[in-house]
Each structure stands twice: as structure tokens, then as C-alpha cells.
Amino acid sequence: MSDRQILQAMSGLMAGMFVSILAGTVVANALPRIIADLGASQSSYTWVVTAELLAMTATVPLWGKLADLYNQKLLLQISLGLFVVGSLLAGFSHEVGLLIFSRVAQGIGAGGLTALAQVVMAAIIPPRRLGKYAGIFGAVFAVGTVAGPLIGGVLVDTSWLGWRWCFFIGVPFALLAIGLLQRTLKLPTRRREAKIDYLGAFLIVAGVCALLIWVSLAGNSFDWASWQTAALTGGGLLLLVAAVFVESRVAEPIIPLGIFRNRTVALTTVASLFVGLAMFGGTVFLSQYFQISLGKSPTVAGLMSLPMIMGLLFSSTIAGQIISKTGRWKVYLVAGGITMTAGLGLLSTIGSDTSFGLTSVYMAVMGIGVGMLMQNLVLAAQNDVAATELGAATSVLSFFRSLGGTIGTSVLGAILANRVASEITKGLADAGVPAGGGAAGGGAMPDMTTLPAPIRAIVEHAYGVATGEIFLVATPFALLALLCVVFVKEKPLKTTSGLQRLADEADQVDGADAADGAVATAATGETREAGGAAGPSRTTADAPAQPVETG
């Protein structure tokens, strides 16, 4: 495909990815108003956030497997259709139960978009050329991440629109993506006998959901050391062990366990887990730091994350272009790991008195590291697997990155809450204010506008110290990701797309079958051509046929 054809085919993918990112960011500033209007509780607030993340993370491997079996364009359109249904249900919700259900539908659709977009890119673009298109993904990621909270804030504050439009706004983009995919993306339909491992799928989803529910609610709804923890972790691990047992014995496993024997896939999968844990687990709390510790508005807080996003966009674009020209990619994985680790380490030094100029430099350093690392981990894995396993390998990396982000958000959030509480208690004691003076609000996020100046300073300091600490905790995980990529073996990037490789692999199988047939025919003393694979005939027009020597 020419560059123009690839860009046309990617237009629908980009629109779909934008929808997926927008769904997760546009409601960030609207959730307090949504929960208040529906008369729901704090636990409902948690489930509105968690439901989509659970559904997306748990279903990514299923979408990846389906991508290896069925038409990928149709699967993308189905995932977008699910997203539209979920968005409409969410926008028309009048009670929190329906809203949570709709978020599950949105999450399943987002899981399909997350897994399938990169699978389709690998199918139509050779790995050697894939790097330069990663910058486009980075641009879409940056725009969706920055624009989402800003759009959500404007919609909520506009009286004639309201929070329901936070869900409706993604529908036109999803419908546009469906139409663009239908018009621009041309993928062959592969028809072959396939058996879906429903039992394995159920066990994987159930086990992952149990563990994700645990990390999402532990420390908030129940203690880390409690019977709920024992039940959820024990049950989740048992379900996953059963899933491994089933997956190792079925003909069409959801996650082919054999791909983990591939050193590149195994190392990039572990690295993706640590990248998700360090990156998402740390940066998700930056907006809270800007609003509470630095006293900025939600809109300004969204704009203050631009240095990190621009660093990510710049590094992913430049590194992708160079990789496409030179074919060398490992150096950017290692450089990305070093830079991301350094960025997290620098961010661990921030506090309530840190200037934004210094903080923006630290964020840019981290963004540059993430940009070089995250997308190129997928590139390395896709380059080293058979075309028939592209979907499984890509979805496994996406799954573990999302899993790491979920675990990191929950664990680091608990660390943040505990450190904030201890720092506020210490600050109040030093100021001579009795404990329980209302600054911490019983663990709820304080309304800074209602606090007296001395107490507001204590709360700002507490959030500054706690935010720096969670970056310090995240830094070793980035270092582990760096160690993983150091041991990845660099292999030349393939110059054929996934579809071409799939056709070549099919031809090799057909050729081997034909050769086997020729051998069997020769053993019976007969001569015939097997699709041109058996070599020249031993007969000529001028001489009688001679029997083939056997044995």
C-alpha cells in the first residue's frame, strides 16, 4: 500500500481511537455532578469509573483472539457499535444502575478498539514502515487526553447542554469511524473452521475481574487485609489457574500459551505491565495535584499536563521516523526506559512549592520516555510472531498494560490517601488544631474554596508531599521495565505486512502439503505433478515413460 492508501485506511482507525480515549477522559470533571444528579453514593462513583475499566481490560484478549479468526474490519465496526449503544444508554440514564451497565457496554467496545486498531495497523503496514505512523497514534492520544477533560468541563458548565452530552458527544465520532472504515479499509475475509473456547474465555474474564475488583476497592470499601481480599484474590487466582489448564488443552485457545515461549513476547509483555503500572499509576494523580496542591481550576489543570503530552508526541513521532529509515529499534526502547525512569525520579521531588516551570520539565522528560517506549514495545512483539498470532500478541501486550495501569492506580491511590491523611493530621497537630477538624473531610477530597487559609496551606502541603511519594514508589517499576527491554534481542524489522506474511505462511503450508503428496505418490510408483512442487516430469514427448525408481 502507498502512504496515501495507508493514511486513508488509518482515518477510520484514528476516529475510533479518539472515541475510545474521549470516553475515558471526558467524564473526569463531570462525575461529581453526575453522581449528585442521580442521587447516588460514593461507592456508585467508584463503580461508574471501575465498570468501564474492568470491561475493557478483561475483554481485550477476547477481541485479540477474534481478530485472528474473523474479519477485522467487521470486528472494529461491531466494537464501535457497542460503544454507541453504551453511550446512548449512559446519556439517557436516570438511575445509577443503568449508568453502570452502560459503562460496561462502553468498556467492551473500548476493549475492541484498543486491541484491534494496532492489529489492523500491523496487518496493512510492514514493521519496517510502521514506526513513522506511531506518531499519528501519539497525536490522537494527546488530543483525546487533553481535550477530553476540557470538553467535559465546558459541557457540564453549559446550562443548555449538561453532563449527558459528555456521553452523547462521542456518538457522532463513532458513527463517522464506522463509515470511514467501511469506505477506506479493505481487508480480506479469512474463512476457516474455528472453535471459540467459551470455557477459557469465561475463566479468563472471571479471574481477571475478581482481581481487578480487589485492587479497585481494597483500601476504600474494605481493608487490604480482610476476608474480602482473601476471597477475591483466592478466587481470582483459582479461576486463572483453571484458565491456564483449559487453554493448554484446547485447539483454539483465547491466549495461545505458546507465544510466551517467544522471548521477545515474554519480555515485552512484562515490560508493558510495568510501564502501565508506573505511567498510568503515577500520572493519573497529576490533575489532582494541580487542583488541590497548586490551587488551579480543572480547566487549567488539564492544560498543565500539556508538557508531558507534547513530550510523548514529539518522541514517538521522531523515533518512529528514524526507526522506519534505519530499521534499528532496540536503542529507542532502552533510551525510553532510561528517560521514563529519570522522569519519574524527578517528579518524586515535587511538592506544593515546586514551580510549574520545573514540574513541566520533569513531565516532559517522562513523556519523552513513554513515547519512545510504549508503542515500540508493540512493534517489537509484532515483528517477532507469526502472522496468525498478531492479534493474540498485540492484545496480550495491551491487556497487561491496562492491567498494570489498573493495579497502579489502585495501589498508588491507597498510598496517596494514607500519606495525605498522616500529613494533614501532623500539620493540624503542629498548628494546634484538634484532630478531626474537618480538613480531611473523613477521607473525602476537600473543597479548597471553603477552607481557612492556614488549613488550606496544610492540605496543599499534604497533597504535594503525597504526590511526590507516589512517583517515588512508581520509579522502581519503570526501572524493572528498563531491565526487561535490555534483554530483548533486536531482530531486523520485516518488510512485509501482516496480510502478506499470512499469505506467505499459507503458501508454505500448501507447498509442504503438496510436497508430502508428491512423496506419497512416488512411493506408489506413480508420477504426477503436485501444483508444480514435485519438480519436472520424468516423461518426454519423444520417449516412453519410465517407471520412477522407488526405495
Side-chain angles (χ1 to χ4, degrees):
M1 298 175 67
S2 66
D3 287 341
R4 180 178 179 181
Q5 289 173 319
I6 290 174
L7 289 173
Q8 288 177 338
M10 286 179 62
S11 60
L13 293 178
M14 296 303 101
M17 285 297 296
F18 181 74
V19 164
S20 176
I21 296 166
L22 196 66
T25 58
V26 75
V27 298
N29 292 332
L31 274 175
R33 182 76 59 84
I34 295 172
I35 297 301
D37 285 355
L38 296 180
S41 63
Q42 179 64 35
S43 62
S44 299
Y45 183 106
T46 302
W47 276 108
V48 170
V49 176
T50 305
E52 185 193 16
L53 189 60
L54 280 172
M56 182 186 74
T57 305
T59 57
V60 161
L62 308 185
W63 287 107
K65 179 60 182 178
L66 292 174
D68 287 332
L69 299 177
Y70 302 111
N71 185 274
Q72 295 161 358
K73 181 170 79 172
L74 178 60
L75 292 173
L76 271 170
Q77 292 173 318
I78 290 173
S79 64
L80 284 164
L82 284 171
F83 182 86
V84 169
V85 171
S87 298
L88 292 175
L89 286 175
F92 288 113
S93 296
H94 290 280
E95 53 95 17
V96 74
L98 180 59
L99 178 61
I100 292 172
F101 174 79
S102 67
R103 294 288 283 174
V104 171
Q106 281 188 311
I108 295 173
L113 294 169
T114 300
L116 295 168
Q118 295 187 85
V119 173
V120 171
M121 281 187 65
I124 64 176
I125 307 173
R128 180 64 186 265
R129 297 171 62 194
L130 188 59
K132 67 179 182 180
Y133 296 101
I136 301 176
F137 266 100
V140 172
F141 178 83
V143 172
T145 302
V146 174
L150 298 178
I151 294 172
V154 171
L155 292 174
V156 170
D157 292 335
T158 304
S159 59
W160 53 276
L161 290 174
W163 62 262
R164 297 183 184 278
W165 279 93
C166 291
F167 300 104
F168 292 148
I169 193 172
V171 173
F173 290 101
L175 295 176
L176 173 65
I178 292 173
L180 286 173
L181 287 169
Q182 184 63 34
R183 179 166 182 168
T184 63
L185 186 61
K186 308 298 181 184
L187 293 175
T189 299
R190 286 175 279 157
R191 301 186 181 276
R192 67 182 182 90
E193 291 295 325
K195 295 181 180 179
I196 300 298
D197 176 23
Y198 294 104
L199 177 58
F202 168 77
L203 292 172
I204 291 172
V205 171
V208 169
C209 284
L211 294 179
L212 289 180
I213 290 171
W214 169 59
V215 298
S216 300
L217 302 183
N220 296 314
S221 300
F222 51 82
D223 293 332
W224 287 96
S226 62
W227 69 265
Q228 293 96 330
T229 290
L232 288 171
T233 56
L237 291 174
L238 284 174
L239 287 167
L240 291 178
V241 169
V244 171
F245 178 82
V246 171
E247 293 291 274
S248 64
R249 283 162 174 76
V250 296
E252 295 279 1
I254 298 298
I255 300 178
L257 300 180
I259 66 171
F260 293 109
R261 289 194 287 268
N262 182 309
R263 175 179 169 180
T264 302
V265 173
L267 288 172
T268 53
T269 296
V270 176
S272 294
L273 175 70
F274 290 134
V275 167
L277 200 154
M279 185 188 71
F280 293 110
T283 57
V284 73
F285 301 104
L286 274 175
S287 178
Q288 184 174 276
Y289 164 75
F290 293 142
Q291 293 182 54
I292 297 179
S293 192
L294 302 187
K296 306 299 181 181
S297 69
T299 301
V300 173
L303 292 173
M304 289 175 77
S305 64
L306 276 175
M308 183 175 64
I309 301 301
M310 295 307 295
L312 187 154
L313 175 59
F314 174 81
S315 65
S316 65
T317 302
I318 299 301
Q321 293 285 345
I322 297 175
I323 289 171
S324 293
K325 289 181 179 180
T326 65
R328 303 294 301 275
W329 50 267
K330 182 176 178 179
V331 63
Y332 300 100
L333 285 182
V334 175
I338 293 172
T339 310
M340 186 179 76
T341 304
L344 285 168
L346 291 171
L347 284 169
S348 70
T349 65
I350 65 175
S352 59
D353 57 348
T354 306
S355 68
F356 173 67
L358 198 57
T359 304
S360 64
V361 172
Y362 297 165
M363 289 191 297
V365 171
M366 180 182 171
I368 290 171
V370 172
M372 286 191 287
L373 187 63
M374 188 166 62
Q375 187 64 28
N376 290 325
L377 286 171
V378 179
L379 173 64
Q382 290 176 336
N383 182 63
D384 203 30
V385 297
T388 53
E389 294 180 338
L390 273 175
T394 304
S395 64
V396 163
L397 263 68
S398 300
F399 167 73
F400 276 94
R401 187 171 62 239
S402 298
L403 183 63
T406 306
I407 295 172
T409 301
S410 177
V411 174
L412 295 180
I415 294 173
L416 177 78
N418 290 333
R419 187 61 189 270
V420 164
S422 65
E423 286 294 323
I424 289 178
T425 301
K426 178 184 175 183
L428 292 176
D430 292 342
V433 179
M445 186 179 297
D447 184 353
M448 301 297 288
T449 61
T450 64
L451 297 178
I455 294 181
R456 184 168 65 245
I458 293 172
V459 175
E460 289 174 350
H461 174 75
Y463 274 89
V465 170
T467 304
E469 181 169 309
I470 62 173
F471 282 111
L472 182 62
V473 173
T475 301
F477 295 104
L479 185 60
L480 290 172
L482 170 61
L483 290 176
C484 288
V485 300
V486 165
F487 290 102
V488 174
K489 183 179 179 181
E490 184 168 22
K491 298 183 180 180
L493 292 177
K494 294 181 172 67
T495 57
T496 53
S497 68
L499 290 176
Q500 291 171 310
R501 287 154 58 190
L502 192 66
D504 293 342
E505 290 168 13
D507 289 343
Q508 290 173 5
V509 172
D510 291 343
D513 291 344
D516 290 343
V519 171
T521 300
T524 62
E526 300 173 1
T527 59
R528 75 177 176 186
E529 292 184 354
S537 172
R538 297 175 71 95
T539 63
T540 67
D542 301 323
Q546 300 295 321
V548 178
E549 295 182 2
T550 62

